[in-house]
Amino acid sequence: MDHNRWVGIRKITYRHRYAFGWMNTAARQPPADPVSSLVGRDEAIARVLASVQPPYVDALAILIEGPAGIGKTSLLRAGVAKAEAAGATVLYARPVETEATYAYATLVDLLGPHLGSIDVRLAEVHRSILRRALGIAVGPESAERTLEEAPDAQRVATAVLAAVRAFTARGPVLIAVDDAPWADQASRDALAFTARRLAGLPVRLLLAQLS
């Protein structure tokens, strides 16, 4: 059986505004062995791995889509492992349906674990906005502000863009979102705003979703 023909892999430049059109919630770390379930998918693996192999000359989105159980998650995880091994910064999330109504749930998983590493590269206003949006408190006064004030969507989107640019100052960046249709709307909007402004930056976006 030719498994490759059932897996759709498309490359989309950011200027087509396609990458985040269907995103809807959040997730954690991919398992250590991403390719064990990909026997018979050599062509699909090769295409994904070639797409995420640094260096990245310009921003590009890669969409993996296909029916349930065909191996989309394993392909995405193989791409994540390849990019990490090659030295890229990987921002990873796997949205779930039960969190699809939680604002910025996907951003919590994408950015939350890594914000500390770019603190010195971010303006204080952007650090503050992201901490409040993601619910990251630093000290009792900050915790009180996090509960009382929700930054508006445009400011959050601008801060996300600043964060991604800060990550690219260190090298190539892969943003990987599995089960992308479950990403929350607030995260979708912020990521779409960011994606349309990444021209010339070493960024790859890797999405997986049902066809």
Side-chain angles (χ1 to χ4, degrees):
M1 177 179 179
D2 181 5
H3 295 285
N4 289 309
R5 71 189 183 90
W6 296 108
V7 182
I9 302 171
R10 287 185 272 165
K11 294 182 181 179
I12 310 102
T13 57
Y14 283 120
R15 61 178 172 271
H16 291 156
R17 301 198 206 178
Y18 180 82
F20 290 98
W22 304 320
M23 289 179 61
N24 277 316
T25 274
R28 292 71 201 169
Q29 296 302 315
D33 181 17
V35 294
S36 59
S37 62
L38 290 175
V39 176
R41 294 171 174 81
D42 293 346
E43 179 187 344
I45 295 171
R47 292 178 66 187
V48 169
L49 297 188
S51 297
V52 300
Q53 173 65 44
Y56 305 153
V57 176
D58 200 355
L60 181 72
I62 304 99
L63 174 65
I64 303 170
E65 60 181 352
I70 201 63
K72 299 180 298 298
T73 291
S74 294
L75 277 172
L76 181 138
R77 289 170 177 168
V80 165
K82 178 72 170 180
E84 281 186 326
T89 295
V90 175
L91 310 178
Y92 173 85
R94 188 179 185 186
V96 292
E97 183 177 3
T98 54
E99 297 175 5
T101 58
Y102 299 167
Y104 302 120
T106 299
L107 287 184
V108 168
D109 289 332
L110 286 173
L111 298 179
H114 307 281
L115 274 184
S117 68
I118 57 168
D119 258 3
V120 297
R121 298 181 184 272
L122 277 179
E124 175 57 35
V125 63
H126 293 143
R127 288 200 302 271
S128 176
I129 287 169
L130 287 174
R131 285 170 182 161
R132 284 157 53 202
L134 304 185
I136 301 172
V138 181
E141 184 176 331
S142 178
E144 187 174 328
R145 288 186 64 200
T146 298
L147 291 173
E148 291 180 355
E149 303 176 23
D152 68 60
Q154 183 177 354
R155 289 187 176 187
V156 173
T158 301
V160 171
L161 174 59
V164 173
R165 285 175 172 164
F167 284 120
T168 64
R170 305 186 310 180
V173 175
L174 174 68
I175 301 172
V177 183
D178 199 1
D179 289 333
W182 291 122
D184 61 276
Q185 186 64 50
S187 293
R188 273 194 278 173
D189 292 345
L191 290 169
F193 176 93
T194 298
R196 290 194 291 269
R197 290 161 176 82
L198 293 178
L201 293 177
V203 178
R204 288 289 182 273
L205 173 65
L206 183 61
L207 300 178
Q209 67 173 32
L210 283 171
S211 57

